[in-house]
C-alpha cells in the first residue's frame, strides 16, 4: 500500500519535459466528468460490437491494460469489445488502421502518444504510411504514464549515470544505446541526453522491445532505454541488467537507489511513456465525451488503479482537451531536439 501511495503522489510531481503531468491530478482525485448522455443521433450507438486496436503485441503491461479497459467499456456501453493487436512502426501501424476506420465511434485505438509527439522530430524513415496522425486521428483520453529505465549490461564497467557519461566523453562514438525504435520515448531520452551532455553515443533502434531486451541480456550493446515492466525489474533484481537512471516524476519504490534523470541534471530527458485512447477524426463529439467519461470512471475504481500501480505505472485520465494539450506541448519540445 505504501508503494501505491508513493506512486500516486508521484503523479502530481512535474517532469522537466512534461510539466503537463504535474498539472494533472492523480487518477483517484480526478474531477468527475459531467453526467454523460447517450448520443443524440437518430442512429442508436453503439449499434454493434466495438473494435479496440492495440498498438502492441499480446502480453505485457500495455496489452493487459488495454484489454481490461476494453472490457470495462464493453460492460458500461453494453456491447462486446473486440481487441486486435496491430504492433509495428512504434504505433503508427495501429493508428493507420484506426484512421481508415469509419468515424462512428465503434473503432478506437490504444497507443502511446509517441507517434504523434516524436515521429516529426526524427529524420529516420518510419516506413510508408499514407496518413497523417495529427490530421486523421484524435486523442480521446489519457490512461497511464509508464516510467522509462536507462539500463546497462553488467559487463559495462561504469556503475553510475555520471560514470557512463564520462566513458562516453572519453571514447566518442564507442558506446551503443539501444531503443525499441526510432521516434519512441526511449529514443527521445537518448536524444535529449546527447544534446544536453554533448556526448556522442550511437543509437541502435529495434523494431519493438522484445528483441531489444533479448539482445541486451546477450551484451550486444552497452546501454538501452526501456519502459518499466515486471520483466525488466526482475532482470535488474537478478543482476542481469543494471539500472543507471529512470525517467519518472519520482524514484520508484521498487528501485529506491536509482535516481531520476531530473535529479541527475537532465530534466528534459526525464520522460515517461504516456498511453491513451484515440479515435478516427470525425467521430461525433458526444460519443467521444461518453467514451472519455467511461474511461475516467474506470480509472477511479480502486481495482483498476491497483492493476496499473502494481506494475509501477501511474493512472492518468482527464479531459480530451488536456490530453490534446499534453501531446501538443511535448511535440513542440521534441521538435527542438535533433533525434539523430
Amino acid at each position: 500500500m505504501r508503494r501505491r501511495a508513493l506512486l500516486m503522489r508521484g503523479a502530481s510531481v512535474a517532469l522537466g519535459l512534461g510539466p503537463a503531468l504535474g498539472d494533472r491530478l492523480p487518477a483517484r482525485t480526478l474531477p468527475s466528468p459531467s453526467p454523460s448522455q447517450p448520443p443524440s443521433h437518430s442512429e442508436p450507438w453503439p449499434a454493434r460490437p466495438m473494435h479496440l486496436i492495440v498498438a502492441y503485441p499480446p502480453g505485457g503491461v500495455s496489452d493487459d491494460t488495454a484489454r481490461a479497459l476494453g472490457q470495462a467499456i464493453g460492460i458500461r456501453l453494453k456491447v462486446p469489445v473486440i481487441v486486435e493487436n496491430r504492433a509495428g512502426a512504434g504505433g503508427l501501424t495501429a493508428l493507420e488502421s484506426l484512421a481508415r476506420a469509419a468515424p462512428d465511434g465503434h473503432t478506437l485505438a490504444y497507443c502511446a502518444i509517441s507517434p504523434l509527439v516524436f515521429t516529426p522530430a526524427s529524420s529516420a524513415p518510419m516506413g510508408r504510411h499514407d496518413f497523417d496522425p495529427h490530421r486523421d486521428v484524435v486523442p480521446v483520453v489519457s490512461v497511464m504514464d509508464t516510467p522509462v529505465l536507462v539500463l546497462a549490461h553488467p559487463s559495462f564497467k561504469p556503475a553510475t549515470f555520471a560514470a557512463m557519461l564520462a566513458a562516453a566523453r572519453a571514447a566518442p562514438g564507442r558506446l551503443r544505446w539501444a531503443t525499441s525504435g526510432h521516434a519512441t520515448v526511449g529514443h527521445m531520452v537518448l536524444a535529449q541526453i546527447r544534446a544536453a551532455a554533448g556526448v556522442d553515443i550511437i543509437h541502435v533502434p529495434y523494431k519493438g522491445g522484445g528483441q531489444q531486451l533479448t539482445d541486451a541480456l546477450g551484451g550486444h550493446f552497452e546501454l538501452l532505454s526501456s519502459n518499466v515492466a515486471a520483466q525488466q525489474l526482475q532482470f535488474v533484481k537478478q543482476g542481469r541488467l543494471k539500472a543507471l537512471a529512470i525517467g519518472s516524476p519520482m524514484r520508484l519504490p521498487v528501485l529506491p537507489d536509482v535516481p531520476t534523470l531530473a535529479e541527475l541534471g537532465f530534466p528534459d530527458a526525464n520522460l515517461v511513456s504516456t498511453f491513451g485512447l484515440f479515435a478516427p477524426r470525425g467521430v461525433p463529439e458526444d460519443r467521444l465525451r461518453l467514451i472519455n467519461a467511461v474511461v475516467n470512471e474506470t480509472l477511479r475504481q480502486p481495482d483498476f488503479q491497483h492493476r496499473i500501480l502494481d506494475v509501477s505505472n501511474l493512472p492518468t485520465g482527464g479531459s480530451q482537451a488536456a490530453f490534446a494539450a499534453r501531446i501538443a506541448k511535448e511535440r513542440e519540445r521534441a521538435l527542438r531536439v535533433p533525434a539523430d
Side-chain angles (χ1 to χ4, degrees):
M1 291 302 297
R2 173 176 169 76
R3 180 163 71 94
R4 290 173 184 158
L6 289 170
L7 284 168
M8 289 305 303
R9 189 173 65 204
S12 64
V13 181
L15 292 179
L17 185 61
L21 180 62
D23 296 340
R24 294 197 301 273
L25 295 174
R28 66 175 59 181
T29 55
L30 282 171
S32 298
S34 301
S36 301
Q37 299 297 327
S40 58
H41 305 279
S42 57
E43 176 190 350
W45 184 86
R48 58 181 185 274
M50 296 180 69
H51 184 199
L52 178 58
I53 303 168
V54 180
Y56 310 99
V61 176
S62 297
D63 180 61
D64 177 67
T65 303
R67 288 175 183 273
L69 197 58
Q71 183 180 34
I73 291 171
I75 292 172
R76 176 66 171 79
L77 299 184
K78 300 180 180 179
V79 293
V81 176
I82 301 167
V83 176
E84 177 190 3
N85 298 88
R86 291 185 63 84
L92 283 172
T93 299
L95 293 185
E96 183 173 26
S97 180
L98 177 71
R100 293 174 176 173
D104 57 13
H106 287 95
T107 304
L108 303 170
Y110 181 86
C111 186
I113 68 173
S114 308
L116 285 83
V117 171
F118 301 127
T119 301
S122 173
S123 62
M126 294 293 293
R128 180 176 177 80
H129 295 279
D130 297 324
F131 84 113
D132 181 343
H134 300 281
R135 179 195 64 211
D136 299 329
V137 303
V138 294
V140 180
V141 60
S142 175
V143 174
M144 71 177 186
D145 284 337
T146 301
V148 178
L149 279 167
V150 177
L151 301 166
H153 190 267
S155 65
F156 182 60
K157 292 183 179 179
T160 66
F161 190 83
M164 178 275 291
L165 291 180
R169 293 188 180 101
R174 294 288 299 276
L175 295 187
R176 298 159 295 177
W177 183 314
T179 73
S180 60
H182 283 288
T184 59
V185 172
H187 184 192
M188 289 303 113
V189 169
L190 169 59
Q192 293 282 2
I193 290 169
R194 290 193 304 195
V199 292
D200 181 7
I201 299 175
I202 301 300
H203 178 213
V204 183
Y206 278 75
K207 295 181 180 180
Q211 189 61 47
Q212 175 206 18
L213 194 58
T214 298
D215 287 357
L217 296 173
H220 292 210
F221 40 77
E222 292 79 20
L223 304 160
L224 71 150
S225 43
S226 177
N227 286 354
V228 167
Q231 189 174 36
Q232 284 86 332
L233 293 173
Q234 185 66 20
F235 289 149
V236 171
K237 182 178 179 180
Q238 294 170 346
R240 300 177 68 186
L241 292 172
K242 57 185 177 183
L244 302 183
I246 190 165
S248 175
M250 60 175 288
R251 294 193 185 197
L252 291 187
V254 293
L255 296 174
D257 297 327
V258 179
T260 69
L261 285 161
E263 289 180 75
L264 293 168
F266 295 90
D268 287 345
N270 197 49
L271 296 167
V272 296
S273 291
T274 298
F275 297 84
L277 287 183
F278 297 84
R281 183 165 297 279
V283 174
E285 286 298 320
D286 52 0
R287 297 178 182 181
L288 296 180
R289 285 195 298 270
L290 178 55
I291 295 167
N292 178 279
V294 169
V295 172
N296 275 289
E297 178 184 322
T298 301
L299 288 170
R300 283 192 295 274
Q301 301 304 312
D303 287 350
F304 202 92
Q305 287 189 0
H306 295 162
R307 174 189 290 271
I308 295 175
L309 292 167
D310 285 347
V311 289
S312 298
N313 286 244
L314 301 170
T316 51
S319 69
Q320 284 179 257
F323 191 26
R326 169 79 183 274
I327 293 169
K329 284 184 179 181
E330 298 203 3
R331 183 187 180 214
E332 181 181 353
R333 292 186 184 92
L335 288 169
R336 296 199 295 263
V337 179
D340 293 294

